[in-house]
Amino acid sequence: MPPTAPPPRYADRGVFVCFEGGEGAGKSTQSGRLRRWLEAEGHDVVLTFEPGDTSVGQEVRRIVLSPETGALADRTEALLYAADKAEHVETLVDPALARGAVVVTDRYVDSTLAYQGAGRTLDVAEVEAVARWATTGLRPHLTVVLDLEPEAGLGRFEGRDRIEGESLEFHQRVRQAFLAMAHADPEHYLVLDARADVDDIEAAVRAGVVPLLGQAVRR
Ligand code: Z5A
């Protein structure tokens, strides 16, 4: 039996913003732009990502994404992503929030619910229990879902890693899972059309983040 999911936890210092969406949706582009703008506004900003932004996470990333890994049992994959998240939250995200920083992460728990849950068709409730346990229930104040048809997103790249090489049906399930999570909790989600102009998306992201900045510390 998987661990019991802890209750949702929202940091009472700092601001936690997450970008989610399929491959090529523009998460790196927009998270980088948000960081530059927040820094220019004088905020302490930590831009991070999953999987792989800790030393343990780098090892996990190599295993889960390298085509050389070959087949992995679905549960093994889910547990590896959960391990990356546990290390990420305890050693990087929580300490930054505690000092009042704005933490911007490129992917977080929703990615495992979408890819290992909906995509691989593991039991989503079980995947969620493991991922919430790993992250001690920490949730973003705002998750920006950059929504894009998988054909369009995958077409923005040439190389394929283990997950990008999955079927179109897999990526369709992933997309629908992100949209369903956003639909279920509109207070904490912003869904944006990732086909829009990059500058327009940036402006919409800022508009979503500005109301949260009251609990962020300025340098
Ligand atoms: N994964 C998982 O299964 N479970 C988990 O728990 C977690 C992750 C955390 C990580 O891949 C993989 O791990 C991912 C899910 C899985 N799946 N795969 N494969 P990654 O870290 O290597 O990459 P990614 O997260 O999927 O991001 P990405 O594919 O690199 O794309 P992106 O960051 O969303 O997009 P981008 O790099 O900003 O932009 C892509 C291109 O589009 C680039 O040329 C841009 O200039 C262009 N672009 C950006 N915005 C636009 C707009 N608005 N119009 C036109 N062109 C644009």
Side-chain angles (χ1 to χ4, degrees):
M1 185 139 85
T4 307
R9 172 171 75 87
Y10 293 93
D12 53 15
R13 265 176 73 79
V15 178
F16 190 21
V17 178
C18 174
F19 284 87
E20 293 282 12
E23 284 70 31
K27 299 176 297 298
S28 308
T29 302
Q30 293 298 333
S31 54
R33 283 173 169 238
L34 180 61
R35 178 194 29 196
R36 282 193 290 282
W37 176 70
L38 286 166
E39 283 180 344
E41 291 289 302
H43 289 286
D44 176 3
V45 186
V46 175
L47 176 58
T48 183
F49 61 91
E50 292 186 358
D53 202 16
T54 62
S55 48
V56 167
Q58 283 174 23
E59 296 296 315
V60 173
R61 183 179 176 92
R62 184 185 55 73
I63 296 167
V64 292
L65 292 183
S66 170
E68 287 172 13
T69 299
L72 268 181
D74 291 351
R75 285 161 197 268
T76 307
E77 185 182 83
L79 288 167
L80 286 165
Y81 277 111
D84 173 71
K85 294 178 199 307
E87 193 71 11
H88 191 212
V89 167
E90 182 166 325
T91 69
L92 194 155
V93 178
D94 266 341
L97 291 171
R99 68 167 195 262
V102 183
V103 178
V104 179
T105 187
D106 184 341
R107 295 195 182 278
Y108 186 56
V109 168
D110 288 4
S111 278
T112 203
L113 304 183
Y115 286 89
Q116 281 68 57
R120 299 282 187 224
T121 65
L122 289 171
D123 182 310
V124 178
E126 290 183 2
V127 174
E128 178 161 24
V130 172
R132 299 287 182 212
W133 176 80
T135 55
T136 61
L138 180 70
R139 305 223 183 183
H141 296 104
L142 181 70
T143 295
V144 179
V145 176
L146 296 175
D147 180 50
L148 188 63
E149 287 171 5
E151 296 94 320
L154 293 167
R156 287 176 175 175
F157 292 107
E158 285 180 1
R160 292 285 166 97
D161 62 27
R162 280 186 66 254
I163 290 182
E164 284 161 354
E166 287 294 332
S167 69
L168 204 52
E169 292 72 28
F170 174 98
H171 291 286
Q172 296 285 12
R173 288 198 297 277
V174 167
R175 180 189 188 194
Q176 294 309 321
F178 283 127
L179 292 174
M181 286 184 262
H183 184 72
D185 186 9
E187 188 188 343
H188 295 107
Y189 284 81
L190 177 63
V191 179
L192 298 175
D193 184 345
R195 296 169 304 177
D197 180 81
V198 177
D199 291 338
D200 293 342
I201 297 173
E202 181 181 2
V205 170
R206 280 188 205 175
V209 169
V210 163
L212 303 171
L213 294 176
Q215 61 178 42
V217 167
R218 282 178 192 269
R219 284 179 295 186

